[in-house]
Amino acid sequence: MPHRSIRSALLIYLAGIPVRIGFDSSAGARFFTHRVHYEKNIHEIERNLKLLTPLQIYKNGRELPDLFIRDNDAEAVNEWLSRNKISEQKNIVAFAPGSVWPTKRWPAVYWGKLIDKFAEEGYEVILIGSAQDS
């Protein structure tokens, strides 16, 4: 797990979760069933994807896991797009700018600039999140 706190590691251990994967540098590494070496000199995304290695669904930086979308989820999205008059054929990008942690929120002015850039490139931009995010 990407969180390196001993509390998080202890929680999943006490919950009896049979497969617990985390970084070897974590304060709670002793509670993991699988420890993945924490590499400082690679991008955070690739480092976190390496946590999938024990599950044999990640082999290197070029190979990503398959995503499987349930039919009813795809139908719900298509219905939402139709209700909101957004063509499925259009280039669509969705952003979830909210976070419960204020320190993880990107300033609204930056979101505005990013959204403008995508709109200029012809994308239909959709903002997603909870009512609290609005």
Side-chain angles (χ1 to χ4, degrees):
M1 70 190 210
H3 291 277
R4 291 182 284 278
S5 78
I6 194 165
R7 186 180 73 181
S8 296
L10 181 60
L11 181 64
I12 62 170
Y13 172 79
L14 293 175
I17 296 170
V19 177
R20 301 176 306 277
I21 303 168
F23 291 117
D24 60 357
S25 61
S26 168
R30 66 182 166 272
F31 298 115
F32 300 142
T33 58
H34 299 78
R35 291 166 203 84
V36 174
H37 178 65
Y38 183 89
E39 294 182 52
K40 291 180 185 177
N41 297 327
I42 61 174
H43 193 280
E44 186 74 12
I45 293 171
E46 188 171 342
R47 183 172 33 248
N48 287 341
L49 283 170
K50 286 186 179 283
L51 291 171
L52 300 173
T53 304
L55 302 175
Q56 299 179 349
I57 56 175
Y58 178 80
K59 295 180 179 51
N60 62 48
R62 304 271 182 228
E63 209 170 307
L64 297 175
D66 291 328
L67 297 177
F68 299 96
I69 301 169
R70 295 181 302 200
D71 289 340
N72 57 336
D73 290 335
E75 288 170 14
V77 168
N78 289 334
E79 286 174 21
W80 186 90
L81 291 172
S82 178
R83 267 194 324 274
N84 289 281
K85 298 177 179 38
I86 299 172
S87 169
E88 296 173 41
Q89 305 304 315
K90 201 164 189 183
N91 290 326
I92 301 170
V93 62
F95 293 115
S99 173
V100 296
W101 304 103
T103 56
K104 293 186 177 186
R105 290 188 202 131
W106 206 28
V109 67
Y110 296 156
W111 278 111
K113 289 178 181 180
L114 180 64
I115 290 165
D116 287 346
K117 180 72 174 160
F118 271 86
E120 289 169 11
E121 297 291 326
Y123 285 85
E124 181 77 31
V125 178
I126 300 171
L127 296 177
I128 59 175
S130 70
Q132 295 165 330
D133 295 330
S134 63

